[in-house]
Each structure stands twice: as structure tokens, then as C-alpha cells.
Amino acid sequence: MADENGTPDLDDVMVPTETVTPDHREHAKEPKHLDDDALEKRAEHEQQLVDENAQRRD
């Protein structure tokens, strides 16, 4: 939603695509060491988001 002046806020520009499990024992709510498969999955997910944003701009 934009504010009264039409300035976008985070709800306008950011759509959450992952759920977060609140666990305050680890930094950024992730375990200290992610395995290679988890890292690859996250990198692929981020690349898909970048590609989708690039397609929208075209």
C-alpha cells in the first residue's frame, strides 16, 4: 500500500516468498552451516526472482 503521498512502502515492493521459522538461537534464523543442496536451492530461487523482475521491466 502506498502512503498518502503515493510513496510505496515495503508492502508494495516486496512479496514474501519464503516462510520463516522464528528461532532466535541462530543468526538470521538459519543454522550455522547450510548444506550444498540448500544453498543451491536458495540460489536458484533468487535467480528465478531476478529473472521474473527483469521480464516485468521489459
Side-chain angles (χ1 to χ4, degrees):
M1 292 185 229
D3 67 8
E4 302 151 356
N5 301 326
T7 306
D9 61 13
L10 287 179
D11 292 331
D12 292 331
V13 296
M14 185 173 171
V15 177
T17 58
E18 296 180 294
T19 57
V20 178
T21 305
D23 182 4
H24 303 288
R25 295 174 293 173
E26 302 289 344
H27 177 71
K29 301 177 186 94
E30 288 297 328
K32 291 181 182 178
H33 303 287
L34 294 175
D35 63 2
D36 289 339
D37 292 334
L39 290 174
E40 183 178 345
K41 181 178 176 182
R42 285 178 168 247
E44 183 178 323
H45 176 74
E46 291 177 8
Q47 185 62 51
Q48 289 173 350
L49 292 175
V50 169
D51 292 343
E52 288 173 8
N53 286 336
Q55 288 176 354
R56 287 183 199 156
R57 289 184 195 148
D58 293 340

